[in-house]
């Protein structure tokens, strides 16, 4: 037996604090009703529970009063785009989905159940989620690769009358917009005359582009590995062609990353690539750089600060962390509180505006967004989202 074919010992993680934290999982289900004697047992279960079941059968909306459904979200993934790890499958995705559930509870008071599906087929995912939807007040899609994530979300939104939210898209977009609102204020820019470059045309990039357009940005391009996404290219997928028509096609821009960066006011990175320093140097004065790839930003803050006035990343060890946890717990809390049938563009814009407003008088180049542990964040976002749901006509209470 050669050295290369010798059996290897399984890795041991005993004593590693990260693994110890995860031992047995990071969450558990606890009862809110005590069953300590015969009377409480008969009310929590049979025969008393039959009265509640019968009432719900006659008036289905009572499920939103007498069950956990309205305050419980399904966190659904197929494990194909997990953090920066890529397609690692449903089993390996579970620690991340558990973590998401913990964040829902800690920052929004929302219960959630991680569900990792052993399929990557779009039809199967959609069908599975539709069948289990009666058990939940909302669906949070997580770490599903593009472009399948777009079709999955669109079909589920069409089929269900509860909020469906792909956090990789919309959570990122909401927090990015909030940070940009304050950055434009600091640098004296107007949305209509601000030129934005988005590197990355996956789920996050497309969603960021759409919410920035909704906000009022007019001159915006997205890039993939082959350059600016415009209809002058013949290699575009359906989703890229659709976003090209809303962005580069409107201004006639095309070409390479160098073409895009020259004179740009804002760079938003959601790609995981690397932008050469010489291209960063060609940006407009008082530039804004959001390099959000983790753990390695597309432009390292040390480089970005040489040329830009405002720099943000996705990392917690630099100022201005653009973190989805600022958005999704409060968005679902607000939507659930008013029994919303969906999450609208108006609700997402309201969430971004609420986040931006929380910075208040503390606004500075190194303080464009609230901290994740700011206790005001969840309630402020929830209240803004609830108000927007009522204004948009999707609130049912």
């Amino acid at each position: 037996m050669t050295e290369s074919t010798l059996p290897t010992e399984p890795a041991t993680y005993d004593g590693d604090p990260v693994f110890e934290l995860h031992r047995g999982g990071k969450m558990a289900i606890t009862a809110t009703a005590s069953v300590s004697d015969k009377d409480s047992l008969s009310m929590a279960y049979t025969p008393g529970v039959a009265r509640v079941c019968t009432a719900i059968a006659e008036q289905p909306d009572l499920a939103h009063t007498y069950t956990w459904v309205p305050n419980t979200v399904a966190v659904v993934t197929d494990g194909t785009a997990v953090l920066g790890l890529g397609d690692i499958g449903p089993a390996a995705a579970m620690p991340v989905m558990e973590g998401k559930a913990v964040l829902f509870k800690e920052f929004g008071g929302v219960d959630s159940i991680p569900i990792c599906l052993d399929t990557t087929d779009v039809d199967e995912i959609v069908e599975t989620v539709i069948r289990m939807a009666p058990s939940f007040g909302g669906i949070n899609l997580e770490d599903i690769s593009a472009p399948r994530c777009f079709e999955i979300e669109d079909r589920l939104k069409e089929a269900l009358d509860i909020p469906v939210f792909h956090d990789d898209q919309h959570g990122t977009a909401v927090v990015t917009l909030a940070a940009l609102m304050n950055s434009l204020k600091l640098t004296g820019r107007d949305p209509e005359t601000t030129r934005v470059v988005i590197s990355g045309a996956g789920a996050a990039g497309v969603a960021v582009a759409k919410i920035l357009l909704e906000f009022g940005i007019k001159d915006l391009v997205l890039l993939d590995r082959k350059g600016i996404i415009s209809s002058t290219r013949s290699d575009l997928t359906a989703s890229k062609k659709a976003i090209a028509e809303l962005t580069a096609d409107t201004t006639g821009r095309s070409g390479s990353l160098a073409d895009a960066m020259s004179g740009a006011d804002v760079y938003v990175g959601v790609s995981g690539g690397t932008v050469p320093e010489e291209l960063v140097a060609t940006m407009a004065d008082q530039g804004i750089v959001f390099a959000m790839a983790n753990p390695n930003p597309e432009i390292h803050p040390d480089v970005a600060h040489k040329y830009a006035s405002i720099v943000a990343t996705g990392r917690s060890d630099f100022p201005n962390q653009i973190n989805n946890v600022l958005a999704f717990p409060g968005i679902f809390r607000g939507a659930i509180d008013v029994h919303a049938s969906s999450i609208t563009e108006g609700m997402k814009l309201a969430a971004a505006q609420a986040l931006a407003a929380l910075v208040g008088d503390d606004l500075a180049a190194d303080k464009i967004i609230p901290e994740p542990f700011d206790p005001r964040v969840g309630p402020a976002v929830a209240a803004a989202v609830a108000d927007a749901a009522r204004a948009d006509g999707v609130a049912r209470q």
Side-chain angles (χ1 to χ4, degrees):
M1 183 176 289
T2 66
E3 183 177 349
S4 61
T5 59
L6 285 172
T8 57
E9 292 294 325
T12 177
Y13 304 105
D14 291 347
D16 184 314
V18 172
F19 282 83
E20 290 305 316
L21 175 70
H22 285 76
R23 188 180 294 277
K26 299 191 291 290
M27 57 182 293
I29 294 175
T30 60
T32 60
S34 174
V35 180
S36 56
D37 55 31
K38 183 177 179 180
D39 288 342
S40 59
L41 175 60
S42 68
M43 286 194 294
Y45 197 52
T46 187
V49 72
R51 293 172 54 196
V52 182
C53 294
T54 301
I56 293 172
E58 294 172 352
Q59 301 180 63
D61 280 350
L62 291 178
H64 291 273
T65 302
Y66 296 109
T67 74
W68 80 336
V69 165
N71 195 54
T72 307
V73 170
V75 181
V76 180
T77 190
D78 63 359
T80 55
V82 181
L83 296 177
L85 304 174
D87 185 355
I88 60 174
M94 180 56 82
V96 177
M97 299 310 114
E98 285 185 0
K100 200 79 174 187
V102 170
L103 298 180
F104 263 115
K105 188 66 173 179
E106 289 292 322
F107 294 101
V110 177
D111 295 320
S112 57
I113 303 295
I115 297 173
C116 299
L117 300 178
D118 190 15
T119 178
T120 60
D121 182 83
V122 168
D123 292 336
E124 290 182 356
I125 292 172
V126 170
E127 185 72 10
T128 300
V129 174
I130 289 172
R131 296 303 171 216
M132 69 184 186
S135 296
F136 299 98
I139 306 295
N140 185 82
L141 302 173
E142 191 74 24
D143 293 349
I144 299 173
S145 63
R148 296 175 311 115
C149 60
F150 303 122
E151 181 182 354
I152 290 169
E153 185 188 40
D154 287 345
R155 288 173 58 180
L156 288 174
K157 287 167 67 175
E158 180 70 25
L160 301 177
D161 66 348
I162 57 175
V164 176
F165 186 82
H166 185 207
D167 184 51
D168 299 325
Q169 294 184 58
H170 310 301
T172 303
V174 164
V175 183
T176 301
L177 175 56
L180 184 62
M181 287 175 172
N182 281 336
S183 297
L184 296 185
K185 185 184 298 185
L186 275 174
T187 58
R189 288 183 167 94
D190 183 87
E192 293 189 355
T193 56
T194 297
R195 188 153 80 80
V196 178
V197 173
I198 300 175
S199 176
V206 170
V208 170
K210 288 181 177 178
I211 202 170
L212 295 190
L213 292 171
E214 191 76 20
F215 171 61
I217 297 293
K218 303 296 185 185
D219 192 343
L220 185 156
V221 296
L222 288 88
L223 294 101
D224 60 12
R225 292 181 180 86
K226 296 182 180 179
I228 294 173
I229 296 172
S230 75
S231 293
T232 59
R233 289 171 45 181
S234 60
D235 61 341
L236 300 183
T237 63
S239 62
K240 289 183 179 181
K241 182 168 179 55
I243 199 63
E245 291 171 355
L246 298 174
T247 56
D249 289 2
T250 66
T251 55
R253 296 192 185 279
S254 62
S256 65
L257 176 62
D259 297 314
M261 292 292 285
S262 180
D265 299 298
V266 180
Y267 170 85
V268 177
V270 285
S271 66
T274 301
V275 179
E277 180 174 346
E278 58 266 27
L279 298 190
V280 183
T282 68
M283 292 181 67
D285 292 340
Q286 296 191 40
I288 299 165
V289 170
F290 295 171
M292 299 188 292
N294 254 322
N296 299 312
E298 294 88 350
I299 304 170
H300 193 279
D302 292 345
V303 173
H305 278 298
K306 293 180 183 180
Y307 310 100
S309 295
I310 299 172
V311 178
T313 71
R315 286 173 45 160
S316 60
D317 54 345
F318 292 109
N320 297 328
Q321 184 189 18
I322 297 179
N323 190 328
N324 288 16
V325 76
L326 292 167
F328 69 84
I331 289 173
F332 269 97
R333 178 76 273 156
I336 285 170
D337 285 347
V338 296
H339 190 188
S341 58
S342 63
I343 294 174
T344 65
E345 292 303 312
M347 292 159 74
K348 288 181 275 188
L349 284 171
Q353 289 163 348
L355 279 174
L358 282 177
V359 179
D361 294 338
D362 293 330
L363 181 61
D366 61 354
K367 181 69 173 180
I368 58 170
I369 198 77
E371 297 291 332
F373 291 99
D374 185 331
R376 302 172 300 160
V377 168
V381 171
V385 167
D387 287 345
R390 295 186 187 99
D392 289 348
V394 297
R396 290 178 286 197
Q397 65 181 37

